[in-house]
Amino acid sequence: MNTFNIALIGCGTVGGGVVKILSEMNHTLNERAGRAVKISRIVELNPENAIKRFGIQKEAFCGGGKKLTVDEANSYISDILNDTGIDLVVETVGGTGDFVFNLCVNVCKSGKHLVSANKALLAERGKAIFNAAEENNVSVGFEAAVCGAIPIIKTIRESFTGDEIVSVSGILNGTSNYILSRMIDENLSFEQALTFAQEAGYAEADPTLDISGGDAAHKLIILMKLIFGIDVTMEELKYQGIQSISKTDMDYAREINARFKLICFARHDGDFIYGGVCPMMVKDENVLSGVNGATNAIRVINKYSGKHILIGAGAGSSETASSIVADILFIARYNDRMNRTLPNGKLKFKGLKDYTLPYVITFETEDRPGITGLVTTEIGRQNINIYTVTHNRHVSDKALFSIETQASTLKQINAAISEIKTKGILKCEPVVYPILY
Ligand code: HSE
């Protein structure tokens, strides 16, 4: 069979990893693909870093290893799109702007397969890209877009085809998990743990997307499309980050034998998919509570085959690149028989506020007789069954306690809180977190 020719657009941390794996494992990869797989072109504005870090030959770059102007890079990209000898383009440019969006659409329109790790682009503007791919009979590989090295996309698309996925819950952002793990294990504040995450190279200088839950939300949107066939926007998917979790919240989680995790959750129930991203207190009996550091994990519950857990690296140069290379090989090998259609279901999306989960509500109240009774009475009035009430911590003139509920909706919890507020006994807004068993 002919050589399978690849062009790489963007050769930074992940793109460089792709070149490294393809050159180090070349012989084996050719055998696995059933044909020679070769990077024929690399377009990178500033190749110097990749040359130094990954030992890539200057000649491998369009322009011979010199810095490119944007115009020069665009001209090389146009050559690639017009070159019928190129079979597949790997996009590791990143971002969601028009440049990268148009690049991905044009790759598909030019009849080339596309492989991308760009979760933000696929979650926010993926529909047009997948449509262009389907119309032009080419494939889009995006294993690396969700949890780096973990083969969750192929597991869903190829392995669970004989079953029905009922729910998915996961730790899909390594930076948040690293921060939370250090907060829990070393009693650090959020700010201290974030500084350590930045020093360790996990969090970016601007870590907003990671800690706000935005990056995890992008990944959940992709999973919900793939599993349940629904298109959910970032506006529809309520996501909450880890910035507001305090040491006190951590203490209450410990008290109920749980650990805080930033959880992506989606569950099929009747005609609806209930989903969201938020910090949850994950009980010790759930495997996800023991997944610490920058590691990612996904728990899938299937109708026929039950619970499955995938754990592994969600980021990193070689880790993410290994998934990109796997996509390249899969497309090179099965090109003619690929299923290119993403599911389109009739299910409707609802946020987690409509779903029943157990919650922990933490109250800071005036410290005088009868207050705990008043609070628990209002919770009972909303038909919420209380599982347990912690002892009161008496801090100067305040009482601090938390209530663990049995399954209820956030609507019920908020109704109870509204009633309690009218009593004028609260020192501040109660803090509410779901519990995951
Ligand atoms: N920044 C992400 C994380 C990896 O910390 O998991 C890329 O989505």
Side-chain angles (χ1 to χ4, degrees), residues 156-283:
I156 294 167
R157 292 189 107 174
E158 312 296 333
S159 307
F160 287 159
T161 43
D163 210 326
E164 189 182 313
I165 297 178
V166 179
S167 81
V168 60
S169 46
I171 298 168
L172 309 190
N173 184 267
T175 305
S176 304
N177 204 35
Y178 179 88
I179 292 172
L180 289 175
S181 301
R182 294 207 62 165
M183 285 174 74
I184 297 165
D185 294 332
E186 296 163 59
N187 201 26
L188 302 180
S189 67
F190 168 75
E191 288 74 19
Q192 288 168 318
L194 171 60
T195 305
F196 283 125
Q198 282 170 318
E199 282 168 9
Y202 292 117
E204 304 290 331
D206 177 6
T208 315
L209 258 187
D210 287 317
I211 61 175
S212 68
D215 175 76
H218 285 140
K219 295 168 189 167
L220 183 61
I221 284 174
I222 295 174
L223 290 183
M224 287 195 294
K225 174 67 178 164
L226 208 56
I227 299 172
F228 303 117
I230 52 168
D231 295 289
V232 181
T233 64
M234 287 290 274
E235 289 69 38
E236 288 163 333
L237 179 70
K238 300 281 172 273
Y239 61 92
Q240 179 191 337
I242 60 169
Q243 312 91 310
S244 316
I245 302 172
S246 67
K247 284 188 182 181
T248 308
D249 301 329
M250 291 278 172
D251 283 346
Y252 282 119
R254 242 175 246 122
E255 219 166 302
I256 63 160
N257 299 318
R259 282 170 79 91
F260 264 105
K261 298 286 166 194
L262 180 67
I263 295 293
C264 294
F265 181 93
R267 187 181 171 90
H268 180 188
D269 198 342
D271 293 336
F272 298 100
I273 300 301
Y274 297 87
V277 177
C278 62
M280 293 193 187
M281 295 189 188
V282 181
K283 289 279 189 174

Side-chain angles (χ1 to χ4, degrees), residues 242-371:
I242 60 169
Q243 312 91 310
S244 316
I245 302 172
S246 67
K247 284 188 182 181
T248 308
D249 301 329
M250 291 278 172
D251 283 346
Y252 282 119
R254 242 175 246 122
E255 219 166 302
I256 63 160
N257 299 318
R259 282 170 79 91
F260 264 105
K261 298 286 166 194
L262 180 67
I263 295 293
C264 294
F265 181 93
R267 187 181 171 90
H268 180 188
D269 198 342
D271 293 336
F272 298 100
I273 300 301
Y274 297 87
V277 177
C278 62
M280 293 193 187
M281 295 189 188
V282 181
K283 289 279 189 174
D284 287 350
E285 60 253 43
N286 184 320
V287 168
L288 295 179
S289 90
V291 175
N292 295 311
T295 305
N296 284 196
I298 307 175
R299 186 176 74 151
V300 181
I301 301 179
N302 288 346
K303 183 172 173 184
Y304 298 104
S305 59
K307 234 179 255 173
H308 304 265
I309 318 246
L310 282 87
I311 301 179
S317 171
S318 307
E319 294 86 344
T320 309
S322 74
S323 278
I324 290 183
V325 173
D327 271 345
I328 294 171
L329 294 205
F330 201 70
I331 294 170
R333 193 163 50 176
Y334 297 118
N335 182 9
D336 301 331
R337 281 173 288 151
M338 295 284 285
N339 175 7
R340 308 183 208 282
T341 317
L342 292 187
N344 260 318
K346 291 194 172 60
L347 298 168
K348 293 189 185 65
F349 178 75
K350 278 193 175 187
L352 285 186
K353 75 175 190 328
D354 295 304
Y355 191 67
T356 54
L357 286 164
Y359 284 89
V360 167
I361 320 167
T362 303
F363 292 95
E364 210 174 297
T365 65
E366 287 176 10
D367 195 2
R368 58 181 169 80
I371 300 285

